[in-house]
Amino acid sequence: MPDIADAVVETVGDRRSLGGVGQSFGAFTAPLVAVRRPVEALALVAGMVPESGESPDRWWSNTGYTEAVRRQAARDGGLTGSDDPYVACYHDVPRELPEEALSKERAHPSSAASAQP
């Protein structure tokens, strides 16, 4: 995680009057960056909000994510937890938006990053 925060801080450079956004896994990185480069606002969008010192790997079990998804899927006919991104993430937007987003998908952080608190 510190390496990811280092890369963001380096990219930001000397800019001032910053706002930060951490989406999903980015909620682990955004606060680390905000401590090093103070921001005027910090927004977490569907963020995996960790407890202090919690790794992304531990977040899943610590939050009860798997059990919550199982219960909700039982209520909604399996929509929650679907492996289909058009069902799980993009169910309420015009099809061309997820098609564009998915065409720009990148590799997820490494297993080493996911193991770091």
Side-chain angles (χ1 to χ4, degrees):
M1 300 311 278
D3 291 346
I4 296 170
D6 288 345
V8 174
V9 168
E10 183 178 323
T11 300
V12 168
D14 293 333
R15 292 181 183 95
R16 301 281 181 230
S17 299
L18 299 173
V21 177
Q23 189 269 331
S24 190
F25 188 90
F28 282 88
T29 306
L32 297 175
V33 173
V35 166
R36 294 169 57 189
R37 289 300 318 255
V39 297
E40 293 182 18
L42 179 62
L44 303 179
V45 180
M48 295 172 64
V49 179
E51 288 189 26
S52 181
E54 181 177 50
S55 70
D57 284 346
R58 295 293 306 152
W59 181 91
W60 297 101
S61 60
N62 290 348
T63 60
Y65 175 84
T66 302
E67 179 61 17
V69 166
R70 185 193 66 73
R71 287 181 180 178
Q72 182 59 35
R75 289 191 287 269
D76 67 20
L79 296 177
T80 299
S82 173
D83 289 333
D84 182 343
Y86 294 102
V87 173
C89 301
Y90 301 110
H91 54 84
D92 58 352
V93 296
R95 184 75 172 208
E96 61 271 8
L97 294 177
E99 287 173 352
E100 181 179 352
L102 291 168
S103 76
K104 298 174 190 227
E105 202 167 38
R106 59 179 170 41
H108 197 273
S110 70
S111 57
S114 293
Q116 293 180 355

